[in-house]
Amino acid sequence: MDSRNNNNRYYNDYPYPGDNRQTYYNSNGVPGGYNGAPTPQQPSQPGNGKGGSFLLGMVLGVALTTLVCGFVFVGMKVYEAVDSKNVAKKGTAESVVSEDTEKKLEAIEDVIDEYYYQDADIDVDAMTEGMYAGMVNALGDPYSVYYTEEEWNDMMQDTAGIYYGIGAYLMIDPNTGLGKISGVIENTPAEEAGLRADDLLYLVDGESTMGMELSEIVTRVKGEEGTKVHLTIYREGETDYLEIDVERRQIEAPTVKYEMLENDIGYIQITEFDEVTTDQFTEAMAVIKGSGAKGLVLDLRGNPGGSLNVVVDIARQILPKGLIVYTEDKYGERDEYTCDGRNELDMPLAVLVNGNSASASEILAGAIKDYHKGTLVGTTTFGKGIVQRVLPLTDGTALKLTISAYYTPNGNNIHGVGIEPDVVCEFDSDAYYDRDVDNQLEKAVAVLSE
């Protein structure tokens, strides 16, 4: 999650402007990206053979929110974008800005000016932005990103829950470095085109996604309404790449879906933890309880994360009194998020998770597991146990930096490890896509019946 307390979109967890929330723990390496990034083969609604859930967050009209896929801001503070040499440094790293580096930059610029053949094509602004981005990229942290003014404005607009894209959640596949669809939103161009969770984006409009930041991939996938993006997809089980054209449209992405299943079992799916999620979840819980539910399935599959504050608010409607999660930064400073237990869930609970459940969704799943409040069903979660904070600069650009690690109530940091389910159940994609059978959901219902 980032300092905005958003996990996800883009598997980035960072806070929203004006929030005092913790940074996102999402989405893109994701964690990282929303323009959609739910989990592989994740149904967006029980009984619906198409679709999936994830942006952190997060619709391919991306929510570098988030991902919306995902953000948790830790107190918005605007940093001066000038005179960096005169800023007192609280950390311990040496300064990159020095007389030597300034001289070298000037030398490189002189050499380019004198010898570069296509000098008419030089974009000084792009070179300058690339220099800033390169400094952040050199940290080697997939969750730390420099945002241009345009990228930052796009991300802030995406947090409203309306996107212009294809309706898929995106993340970076940790095994290949390619973009990956972690989930597909129901009734969107992505679903209509037959895209599935776990599809790898080999090429976007002929350009490889290998080595790209999640934000770059999202930028290429989204675009003006009515235009098309050409995706070259690698799908496990297929003998060749799939070439798919998807039209971009305005996407409205609900973050919570619910319904009553048979035998008085309630079902609530959370696709990401966004600003609107708390109210949507509260409404869902009221309807489920009012319908006389005797058990609840909470579906976090493909959920890339999002806002830390939001997931904490939702946890307070489920957990007993005690610690929900705590974060610890480089200085050893610890922030704790607690629950008073007054709204503790009073019915059996099963929680569906998978490899695309990341960041904020892992905070909720981890707390439920530590308190033995419910049974986790599915496969091991993604394993994003760090928080990002978004730091706006005075020139309209911004930085998203990893600022702390988070820990479950029992003191576990799951970064790079994930959370093991109590009941392991691999997803049967053939049954889901061919016969509309969600075997993991059926297993969760069976667990509650026991």
Side-chain angles (χ1 to χ4, degrees), residues 36-79:
T39 78
Q41 323 289 353
Q42 248 357 34
S44 60
Q45 204 170 12
N48 188 326
K50 301 177 181 178
S53 51
F54 188 176
L55 196 333
L56 205 96
M58 57 283 116
V59 175
L60 274 171
V62 170
L64 266 173
T65 159
T66 110
L67 74 353
V68 80
C69 26
F71 308 106
V72 174
F73 290 100
V74 179
M76 293 296 293
K77 176 179 180 181
V78 178
Y79 284 75

Short mmCIF file of all heavy atoms in Angstrom, two decimals, residues 36-79:
data_model
loop_
_atom_site.label_atom_id
_atom_site.label_comp_id
_atom_site.label_asym_id
_atom_site.label_seq_id
_atom_site.Cartn_x
_atom_site.Cartn_y
_atom_site.Cartn_z
N GLY A 36 -7.12 -2.02 -14.59
CA GLY A 36 -7.64 -3.24 -14.32
C GLY A 36 -6.59 -4.19 -14.00
O GLY A 36 -5.67 -4.38 -14.74
N ALA A 37 -6.67 -4.87 -12.83
CA ALA A 37 -5.76 -5.92 -12.59
C ALA A 37 -6.24 -6.85 -11.55
O ALA A 37 -5.67 -6.96 -10.51
CB ALA A 37 -4.44 -5.38 -12.19
N PRO A 38 -7.28 -7.58 -11.73
CA PRO A 38 -7.74 -8.57 -10.77
C PRO A 38 -6.92 -9.81 -10.91
O PRO A 38 -5.95 -9.81 -11.62
CB PRO A 38 -9.17 -8.84 -11.15
CG PRO A 38 -9.53 -7.74 -12.03
CD PRO A 38 -8.27 -7.19 -12.62
N THR A 39 -7.31 -10.90 -10.28
CA THR A 39 -6.49 -12.09 -10.29
C THR A 39 -6.80 -13.00 -11.44
O THR A 39 -7.86 -12.96 -12.02
CB THR A 39 -6.77 -12.91 -9.06
OG1 THR A 39 -7.96 -13.57 -9.29
CG2 THR A 39 -6.91 -12.05 -7.88
N PRO A 40 -5.85 -13.87 -11.72
CA PRO A 40 -6.04 -14.79 -12.82
C PRO A 40 -7.29 -15.60 -12.65
O PRO A 40 -7.52 -16.12 -11.59
CB PRO A 40 -4.83 -15.68 -12.75
CG PRO A 40 -3.87 -14.96 -11.89
CD PRO A 40 -4.62 -13.96 -11.09
N GLN A 41 -8.06 -15.68 -13.70
CA GLN A 41 -9.23 -16.53 -13.75
C GLN A 41 -10.17 -16.23 -12.60
O GLN A 41 -10.73 -17.12 -12.03
CB GLN A 41 -8.83 -18.00 -13.67
CG GLN A 41 -7.56 -18.34 -14.39
CD GLN A 41 -7.67 -18.30 -15.86
OE1 GLN A 41 -8.75 -18.14 -16.37
NE2 GLN A 41 -6.61 -18.43 -16.55
N GLN A 42 -10.32 -14.98 -12.27
CA GLN A 42 -11.17 -14.66 -11.15
C GLN A 42 -12.54 -14.22 -11.61
O GLN A 42 -12.67 -13.27 -12.34
CB GLN A 42 -10.59 -13.51 -10.37
CG GLN A 42 -10.08 -13.82 -9.00
CD GLN A 42 -10.25 -15.18 -8.53
OE1 GLN A 42 -10.20 -16.10 -9.22
NE2 GLN A 42 -10.43 -15.36 -7.29
N PRO A 43 -13.57 -14.90 -11.16
CA PRO A 43 -14.90 -14.51 -11.56
C PRO A 43 -15.26 -13.20 -10.93
O PRO A 43 -14.94 -12.94 -9.81
CB PRO A 43 -15.76 -15.62 -11.01
CG PRO A 43 -14.98 -16.20 -9.91
CD PRO A 43 -13.55 -16.00 -10.27
N SER A 44 -15.97 -12.37 -11.69
CA SER A 44 -16.35 -11.10 -11.12
C SER A 44 -17.65 -11.24 -10.35
O SER A 44 -18.01 -10.39 -9.59
CB SER A 44 -16.53 -10.05 -12.22
OG SER A 44 -17.52 -10.45 -13.10
N GLN A 45 -18.34 -12.32 -10.58
CA GLN A 45 -19.58 -12.53 -9.87
C GLN A 45 -19.89 -14.02 -9.93
O GLN A 45 -19.66 -14.67 -10.92
CB GLN A 45 -20.69 -11.74 -10.57
CG GLN A 45 -21.84 -11.42 -9.67
CD GLN A 45 -22.78 -10.46 -10.32
OE1 GLN A 45 -22.69 -10.22 -11.51
NE2 GLN A 45 -23.69 -9.90 -9.60
N PRO A 46 -20.35 -14.59 -8.84
CA PRO A 46 -20.61 -16.02 -8.86
C PRO A 46 -21.63 -16.36 -9.93
O PRO A 46 -22.60 -15.65 -10.11
CB PRO A 46 -21.16 -16.29 -7.46
CG PRO A 46 -21.47 -14.97 -6.87
CD PRO A 46 -20.71 -13.94 -7.62
N GLY A 47 -21.34 -17.47 -10.61
CA GLY A 47 -22.29 -17.91 -11.61
C GLY A 47 -22.11 -17.22 -12.95
O GLY A 47 -22.77 -17.54 -13.90
N ASN A 48 -21.20 -16.24 -13.01
CA ASN A 48 -20.99 -15.54 -14.28
C ASN A 48 -19.72 -16.08 -14.89
O ASN A 48 -18.65 -15.91 -14.36
CB ASN A 48 -20.84 -14.03 -14.01
CG ASN A 48 -20.80 -13.26 -15.30
OD1 ASN A 48 -20.28 -13.76 -16.30
ND2 ASN A 48 -21.33 -12.05 -15.30
N GLY A 49 -19.81 -16.73 -16.00
CA GLY A 49 -18.64 -17.37 -16.58
C GLY A 49 -17.63 -16.44 -17.14
O GLY A 49 -16.58 -16.86 -17.55
N LYS A 50 -17.93 -15.16 -17.20
CA LYS A 50 -16.95 -14.24 -17.77
C LYS A 50 -16.64 -13.18 -16.74
O LYS A 50 -17.46 -12.81 -15.95
CB LYS A 50 -17.52 -13.57 -19.02
CG LYS A 50 -17.92 -14.57 -20.10
CD LYS A 50 -18.52 -13.86 -21.28
CE LYS A 50 -18.96 -14.82 -22.35
NZ LYS A 50 -19.59 -14.16 -23.48
N GLY A 51 -15.43 -12.66 -16.82
CA GLY A 51 -15.11 -11.58 -15.92
C GLY A 51 -14.15 -12.01 -14.87
O GLY A 51 -13.81 -13.15 -14.74
N GLY A 52 -13.71 -11.08 -14.08
CA GLY A 52 -12.76 -11.39 -13.03
C GLY A 52 -12.72 -10.22 -12.11
O GLY A 52 -13.32 -9.21 -12.33
N SER A 53 -11.98 -10.38 -10.98
CA SER A 53 -11.90 -9.27 -10.07
C SER A 53 -10.44 -8.89 -9.84
O SER A 53 -9.59 -9.65 -10.07
CB SER A 53 -12.56 -9.66 -8.77
OG SER A 53 -12.07 -10.86 -8.33
N PHE A 54 -9.82 -7.74 -9.51
CA PHE A 54 -8.44 -7.45 -8.97
C PHE A 54 -8.24 -6.32 -8.12
O PHE A 54 -7.89 -6.09 -7.82
CB PHE A 54 -7.39 -7.04 -9.81
CG PHE A 54 -5.99 -6.96 -9.24
CD1 PHE A 54 -4.92 -6.65 -10.04
CD2 PHE A 54 -5.69 -7.15 -7.94
CE1 PHE A 54 -3.63 -6.54 -9.58
CE2 PHE A 54 -4.39 -7.01 -7.47
CZ PHE A 54 -3.39 -6.71 -8.33
N LEU A 55 -6.51 -5.05 -8.72
CA LEU A 55 -6.00 -1.79 -8.79
C LEU A 55 -6.45 -1.85 -8.18
O LEU A 55 -6.00 -1.73 -9.32
CB LEU A 55 -7.01 -2.52 -9.90
CG LEU A 55 -6.72 -1.69 -10.06
CD1 LEU A 55 -6.20 -0.40 -8.86
CD2 LEU A 55 -5.13 -0.16 -10.60
N LEU A 56 -5.69 -2.28 -8.00
CA LEU A 56 -4.98 -1.59 -7.49
C LEU A 56 -4.52 -1.28 -7.90
O LEU A 56 -5.00 -0.88 -7.67
CB LEU A 56 -6.48 -2.09 -7.80
CG LEU A 56 -6.05 -1.89 -7.70
CD1 LEU A 56 -6.27 -1.71 -8.66
CD2 LEU A 56 -5.97 -0.86 -8.89
N GLY A 57 -5.62 -2.19 -6.94
CA GLY A 57 -6.20 -1.58 -7.72
C GLY A 57 -5.71 -1.57 -8.96
O GLY A 57 -4.27 -0.07 -8.67
N MET A 58 -6.42 -0.08 -10.76
CA MET A 58 -6.31 -0.39 -10.72
C MET A 58 -7.15 -0.70 -12.09
O MET A 58 -6.23 -0.73 -13.38
CB MET A 58 -5.35 -0.21 -10.67
CG MET A 58 -4.66 0.33 -10.14
SD MET A 58 -4.22 1.51 -10.00
CE MET A 58 -4.08 1.99 -9.80
N VAL A 59 -9.73 -1.16 -13.90
CA VAL A 59 -10.10 -0.87 -15.26
C VAL A 59 -8.89 -0.36 -15.98
O VAL A 59 -8.14 0.42 -15.47
CB VAL A 59 -11.13 0.22 -15.35
CG1 VAL A 59 -11.41 0.59 -16.74
CG2 VAL A 59 -12.32 -0.17 -14.58
N LEU A 60 -8.79 -0.79 -17.24
CA LEU A 60 -7.60 -0.34 -17.90
C LEU A 60 -7.73 1.12 -18.24
O LEU A 60 -7.07 1.60 -19.10
CB LEU A 60 -7.33 -1.16 -19.12
CG LEU A 60 -6.56 -2.36 -18.69
CD1 LEU A 60 -6.41 -3.36 -19.78
CD2 LEU A 60 -5.23 -1.95 -18.18
N GLY A 61 -8.58 1.81 -17.69
CA GLY A 61 -8.56 3.25 -17.78
C GLY A 61 -7.89 3.56 -16.52
O GLY A 61 -8.35 4.27 -15.71
N VAL A 62 -6.94 2.89 -16.22
CA VAL A 62 -6.16 2.81 -15.04
C VAL A 62 -6.38 3.78 -13.94
O VAL A 62 -6.44 4.94 -14.15
CB VAL A 62 -4.74 3.03 -15.42
CG1 VAL A 62 -3.97 3.20 -14.17
CG2 VAL A 62 -4.30 1.83 -16.20
N ALA A 63 -6.27 3.20 -12.79
CA ALA A 63 -6.34 4.07 -11.67
C ALA A 63 -5.00 4.06 -11.04
O ALA A 63 -4.73 3.30 -10.17
CB ALA A 63 -7.32 3.55 -10.69
N LEU A 64 -4.13 4.83 -11.51
CA LEU A 64 -2.84 4.92 -10.87
C LEU A 64 -3.25 5.53 -9.58
O LEU A 64 -2.95 6.64 -9.27
CB LEU A 64 -1.93 5.81 -11.65
CG LEU A 64 -1.07 5.05 -12.61
CD1 LEU A 64 -0.28 5.94 -13.53
CD2 LEU A 64 -0.14 4.13 -11.89
N THR A 65 -4.16 4.88 -9.08
CA THR A 65 -4.81 5.32 -7.90
C THR A 65 -4.32 4.45 -6.97
O THR A 65 -4.59 3.38 -7.44
CB THR A 65 -6.16 4.82 -7.90
OG1 THR A 65 -6.76 4.76 -6.70
CG2 THR A 65 -6.06 3.46 -8.18
N THR A 66 -4.18 3.67 -7.89
CA THR A 66 -4.62 3.90 -7.33
C THR A 66 -4.54 3.96 -7.25
O THR A 66 -4.34 3.56 -7.10
CB THR A 66 -5.36 3.42 -7.84
OG1 THR A 66 -5.79 2.75 -7.72
CG2 THR A 66 -5.79 2.95 -8.37
N LEU A 67 -5.19 0.93 -8.50
CA LEU A 67 -4.41 0.79 -8.73
C LEU A 67 -5.27 1.07 -8.68
O LEU A 67 -5.03 0.91 -8.69
CB LEU A 67 -5.26 0.80 -10.25
CG LEU A 67 -5.17 1.16 -10.01
CD1 LEU A 67 -4.95 0.53 -9.57
CD2 LEU A 67 -5.44 1.08 -10.33
N VAL A 68 -5.74 1.87 -7.35
CA VAL A 68 -6.00 2.08 -7.37
C VAL A 68 -5.83 1.62 -7.03
O VAL A 68 -6.37 1.35 -7.32
CB VAL A 68 -6.17 2.23 -7.77
CG1 VAL A 68 -6.13 1.99 -7.50
CG2 VAL A 68 -6.40 2.75 -8.18
N CYS A 69 -4.19 0.12 -9.23
CA CYS A 69 -4.23 -0.91 -8.49
C CYS A 69 -3.57 -1.27 -7.30
O CYS A 69 -3.43 -1.71 -8.07
CB CYS A 69 -3.09 -0.99 -8.01
SG CYS A 69 -5.17 -0.32 -8.97
N GLY A 70 -4.84 1.62 -6.59
CA GLY A 70 -4.36 1.46 -5.58
C GLY A 70 -3.39 2.25 -4.75
O GLY A 70 -2.19 1.03 -5.60
N PHE A 71 -4.41 3.67 -3.63
CA PHE A 71 -3.16 4.16 -3.07
C PHE A 71 -3.38 4.58 -1.64
O PHE A 71 -4.42 5.04 -1.27
CB PHE A 71 -2.70 5.37 -3.83
CG PHE A 71 -2.66 5.10 -5.27
CD1 PHE A 71 -3.61 5.62 -6.11
CD2 PHE A 71 -1.69 4.27 -5.79
CE1 PHE A 71 -3.56 5.34 -7.43
CE2 PHE A 71 -1.63 4.00 -7.11
CZ PHE A 71 -2.58 4.55 -7.94
N VAL A 72 -2.31 4.52 -0.86
CA VAL A 72 -2.44 4.95 0.51
C VAL A 72 -1.52 6.10 0.75
O VAL A 72 -0.32 5.94 0.69
CB VAL A 72 -2.03 3.82 1.44
CG1 VAL A 72 -2.04 4.31 2.85
CG2 VAL A 72 -2.93 2.65 1.24
N PHE A 73 -2.06 7.28 0.96
CA PHE A 73 -1.17 8.42 1.18
C PHE A 73 -0.92 8.61 2.65
O PHE A 73 -1.83 8.52 3.43
CB PHE A 73 -1.79 9.69 0.64
CG PHE A 73 -1.85 9.71 -0.83
CD1 PHE A 73 -3.01 9.41 -1.49
CD2 PHE A 73 -0.73 10.00 -1.57
CE1 PHE A 73 -3.06 9.41 -2.85
CE2 PHE A 73 -0.77 10.00 -2.93
CZ PHE A 73 -1.94 9.71 -3.57
N VAL A 74 0.29 8.94 2.95
CA VAL A 74 0.60 9.18 4.35
C VAL A 74 0.71 10.66 4.54
O VAL A 74 1.79 11.21 4.54
CB VAL A 74 1.93 8.56 4.70
CG1 VAL A 74 2.25 8.83 6.13
CG2 VAL A 74 1.88 7.09 4.43
N GLY A 75 -0.35 11.35 4.71
CA GLY A 75 -0.30 12.77 4.96
C GLY A 75 0.29 13.51 3.78
O GLY A 75 1.48 13.45 3.56
N MET A 76 -0.51 14.20 3.03
CA MET A 76 -0.01 14.86 1.84
C MET A 76 0.85 16.06 2.20
O MET A 76 0.42 16.96 2.88
CB MET A 76 -1.18 15.31 0.97
CG MET A 76 -1.95 14.16 0.39
SD MET A 76 -0.97 13.19 -0.73
CE MET A 76 -0.73 14.35 -2.03
N LYS A 77 2.06 16.05 1.73
CA LYS A 77 2.96 17.17 1.94
C LYS A 77 3.56 17.51 0.59
O LYS A 77 4.07 16.64 -0.10
CB LYS A 77 4.06 16.80 2.93
CG LYS A 77 5.09 17.90 3.13
CD LYS A 77 6.14 17.47 4.13
CE LYS A 77 7.18 18.56 4.34
NZ LYS A 77 8.23 18.15 5.29
N VAL A 78 3.50 18.78 0.20
CA VAL A 78 4.03 19.18 -1.10
C VAL A 78 5.48 19.62 -0.93
O VAL A 78 5.78 20.50 -0.13
CB VAL A 78 3.20 20.33 -1.70
CG1 VAL A 78 3.80 20.77 -3.01
CG2 VAL A 78 1.75 19.88 -1.88
N TYR A 79 6.37 18.96 -1.66
CA TYR A 79 7.79 19.25 -1.56
C TYR A 79 8.21 20.23 -2.65
O TYR A 79 7.73 20.16 -3.78
CB TYR A 79 8.60 17.96 -1.68
CG TYR A 79 8.56 17.13 -0.43
CD1 TYR A 79 7.43 16.40 -0.11
CD2 TYR A 79 9.65 17.10 0.43
CE1 TYR A 79 7.38 15.64 1.04
CE2 TYR A 79 9.61 16.35 1.58
CZ TYR A 79 8.48 15.63 1.89
OH TYR A 79 8.43 14.89 3.04
#
